PDB file of all heavy atoms in Angstrom:
ATOM      1  N   ALA A1589    -130.105  37.319  -4.645  1.00 85.00           N
ATOM      2  CA  ALA A1589    -129.245  36.185  -4.713  1.00 85.00           C
ATOM      3  C   ALA A1589    -129.842  34.992  -3.956  1.00 85.00           C
ATOM      4  O   ALA A1589    -130.337  35.170  -2.784  1.00 85.00           O
ATOM      5  CB  ALA A1589    -127.906  36.430  -4.178  1.00 85.00           C
ATOM      6  N   ALA A1590    -129.771  33.803  -4.492  1.00 89.00           N
ATOM      7  CA  ALA A1590    -130.107  32.496  -3.913  1.00 89.00           C
ATOM      8  C   ALA A1590    -131.551  32.342  -3.643  1.00 89.00           C
ATOM      9  O   ALA A1590    -132.030  31.425  -2.977  1.00 89.00           O
ATOM     10  CB  ALA A1590    -129.315  32.277  -2.616  1.00 89.00           C
ATOM     11  N   HIS A1591    -132.411  33.241  -4.224  1.00 93.00           N
ATOM     12  CA  HIS A1591    -133.863  33.045  -4.232  1.00 93.00           C
ATOM     13  C   HIS A1591    -134.218  32.414  -5.643  1.00 93.00           C
ATOM     14  O   HIS A1591    -133.766  32.894  -6.693  1.00 93.00           O
ATOM     15  CB  HIS A1591    -134.642  34.379  -4.141  1.00 93.00           C
ATOM     16  CG  HIS A1591    -134.489  34.999  -2.809  1.00 93.00           C
ATOM     17  ND1 HIS A1591    -135.359  34.717  -1.828  1.00 93.00           N
ATOM     18  CD2 HIS A1591    -133.627  35.890  -2.273  1.00 93.00           C
ATOM     19  CE1 HIS A1591    -135.115  35.424  -0.705  1.00 93.00           C
ATOM     20  NE2 HIS A1591    -134.052  36.188  -0.982  1.00 93.00           N
ATOM     21  N   ALA A1592    -135.050  31.373  -5.563  1.00 95.00           N
ATOM     22  CA  ALA A1592    -135.424  30.695  -6.815  1.00 95.00           C
ATOM     23  C   ALA A1592    -136.293  31.554  -7.697  1.00 95.00           C
ATOM     24  O   ALA A1592    -136.303  31.385  -8.950  1.00 95.00           O
ATOM     25  CB  ALA A1592    -136.065  29.353  -6.490  1.00 95.00           C
ATOM     26  N   VAL A1593    -137.036  32.417  -7.098  1.00 96.00           N
ATOM     27  CA  VAL A1593    -137.968  33.286  -7.835  1.00 96.00           C
ATOM     28  C   VAL A1593    -137.904  34.698  -7.251  1.00 96.00           C
ATOM     29  O   VAL A1593    -137.494  34.833  -6.093  1.00 96.00           O
ATOM     30  CB  VAL A1593    -139.438  32.715  -7.747  1.00 96.00           C
ATOM     31  CG1 VAL A1593    -139.599  31.477  -8.460  1.00 96.00           C
ATOM     32  CG2 VAL A1593    -139.906  32.624  -6.299  1.00 96.00           C
ATOM     33  N   PRO A1594    -138.395  35.716  -7.980  1.00 94.00           N
ATOM     34  CA  PRO A1594    -138.451  36.996  -7.405  1.00 94.00           C
ATOM     35  C   PRO A1594    -139.413  36.964  -6.170  1.00 94.00           C
ATOM     36  O   PRO A1594    -140.575  36.595  -6.348  1.00 94.00           O
ATOM     37  CB  PRO A1594    -138.950  37.919  -8.513  1.00 94.00           C
ATOM     38  CG  PRO A1594    -138.625  37.145  -9.806  1.00 94.00           C
ATOM     39  CD  PRO A1594    -138.748  35.688  -9.440  1.00 94.00           C
ATOM     40  N   ARG A1595    -138.983  37.428  -5.020  1.00 96.00           N
ATOM     41  CA  ARG A1595    -139.889  37.425  -3.863  1.00 96.00           C
ATOM     42  C   ARG A1595    -139.589  38.467  -2.789  1.00 96.00           C
ATOM     43  O   ARG A1595    -140.030  38.394  -1.716  1.00 96.00           O
ATOM     44  CB  ARG A1595    -139.930  36.068  -3.178  1.00 96.00           C
ATOM     45  CG  ARG A1595    -138.663  35.614  -2.473  1.00 96.00           C
ATOM     46  CD  ARG A1595    -138.999  34.419  -1.433  1.00 96.00           C
ATOM     47  NE  ARG A1595    -139.400  33.212  -2.098  1.00 96.00           N
ATOM     48  CZ  ARG A1595    -138.605  32.205  -2.397  1.00 96.00           C
ATOM     49  NH1 ARG A1595    -137.225  32.335  -2.171  1.00 96.00           N
ATOM     50  NH2 ARG A1595    -138.964  31.104  -2.964  1.00 96.00           N
ATOM     51  N   VAL A1596    -138.862  39.485  -3.256  1.00 96.00           N
ATOM     52  CA  VAL A1596    -138.541  40.533  -2.242  1.00 96.00           C
ATOM     53  C   VAL A1596    -139.415  41.724  -2.473  1.00 96.00           C
ATOM     54  O   VAL A1596    -139.320  42.421  -3.438  1.00 96.00           O
ATOM     55  CB  VAL A1596    -137.055  40.927  -2.330  1.00 96.00           C
ATOM     56  CG1 VAL A1596    -136.701  42.000  -1.264  1.00 96.00           C
ATOM     57  CG2 VAL A1596    -136.151  39.718  -2.154  1.00 96.00           C
ATOM     58  N   ALA A1597    -140.358  41.963  -1.479  1.00 96.00           N
ATOM     59  CA  ALA A1597    -141.267  43.086  -1.591  1.00 96.00           C
ATOM     60  C   ALA A1597    -140.447  44.386  -1.197  1.00 96.00           C
ATOM     61  O   ALA A1597    -139.804  44.425  -0.192  1.00 96.00           O
ATOM     62  CB  ALA A1597    -142.391  42.892  -0.581  1.00 96.00           C
ATOM     63  N   ARG A1598    -140.498  45.318  -2.129  1.00 93.00           N
ATOM     64  CA  ARG A1598    -139.642  46.466  -1.947  1.00 93.00           C
ATOM     65  C   ARG A1598    -140.485  47.733  -1.774  1.00 93.00           C
ATOM     66  O   ARG A1598    -141.684  47.787  -2.014  1.00 93.00           O
ATOM     67  CB  ARG A1598    -138.670  46.546  -3.133  1.00 93.00           C
ATOM     68  CG  ARG A1598    -139.397  46.603  -4.462  1.00 93.00           C
ATOM     69  CD  ARG A1598    -138.481  46.824  -5.624  1.00 93.00           C
ATOM     70  NE  ARG A1598    -139.349  47.326  -6.697  1.00 93.00           N
ATOM     71  CZ  ARG A1598    -139.591  46.722  -7.820  1.00 93.00           C
ATOM     72  NH1 ARG A1598    -138.999  45.517  -8.077  1.00 93.00           N
ATOM     73  NH2 ARG A1598    -140.325  47.312  -8.728  1.00 93.00           N
ATOM     74  N   VAL A1599    -139.779  48.861  -1.401  1.00 93.00           N
ATOM     75  CA  VAL A1599    -140.458  50.049  -1.286  1.00 93.00           C
ATOM     76  C   VAL A1599    -139.631  51.210  -1.948  1.00 93.00           C
ATOM     77  O   VAL A1599    -138.413  51.334  -1.548  1.00 93.00           O
ATOM     78  CB  VAL A1599    -140.679  50.536   0.168  1.00 93.00           C
ATOM     79  CG1 VAL A1599    -141.560  51.740   0.272  1.00 93.00           C
ATOM     80  CG2 VAL A1599    -141.365  49.430   0.985  1.00 93.00           C
ATOM     81  N   GLY A1600    -140.161  51.901  -2.856  1.00 89.00           N
ATOM     82  CA  GLY A1600    -139.399  53.011  -3.516  1.00 89.00           C
ATOM     83  C   GLY A1600    -138.092  52.572  -3.994  1.00 89.00           C
ATOM     84  O   GLY A1600    -137.071  53.253  -3.780  1.00 89.00           O
ATOM     85  N   GLY A1601    -138.079  51.385  -4.682  1.00 85.00           N
ATOM     86  CA  GLY A1601    -136.830  50.879  -5.172  1.00 85.00           C
ATOM     87  C   GLY A1601    -135.960  50.291  -4.032  1.00 85.00           C
ATOM     88  O   GLY A1601    -136.075  49.097  -3.690  1.00 85.00           O
ATOM     89  N   ASP A1602    -135.114  51.170  -3.455  1.00 89.00           N
ATOM     90  CA  ASP A1602    -134.165  50.686  -2.382  1.00 89.00           C
ATOM     91  C   ASP A1602    -134.450  51.288  -1.074  1.00 89.00           C
ATOM     92  O   ASP A1602    -133.509  51.397  -0.241  1.00 89.00           O
ATOM     93  CB  ASP A1602    -132.714  50.914  -2.856  1.00 89.00           C
ATOM     94  CG  ASP A1602    -132.363  52.351  -3.091  1.00 89.00           C
ATOM     95  OD1 ASP A1602    -133.283  53.275  -2.802  1.00 89.00           O
ATOM     96  OD2 ASP A1602    -131.274  52.671  -3.607  1.00 89.00           O
ATOM     97  N   GLY A1603    -135.665  51.733  -0.815  1.00 90.00           N
ATOM     98  CA  GLY A1603    -135.934  52.482   0.462  1.00 90.00           C
ATOM     99  C   GLY A1603    -136.784  51.709   1.417  1.00 90.00           C
ATOM    100  O   GLY A1603    -137.450  52.257   2.313  1.00 90.00           O
TER     101      GLY A1603
END
Side-chain angles (χ1 to χ4, degrees):
H1591 289 273
V1593 293
R1595 67 161 70 92
V1596 180
R1598 53 173 205 246
V1599 186
D1602 59 7

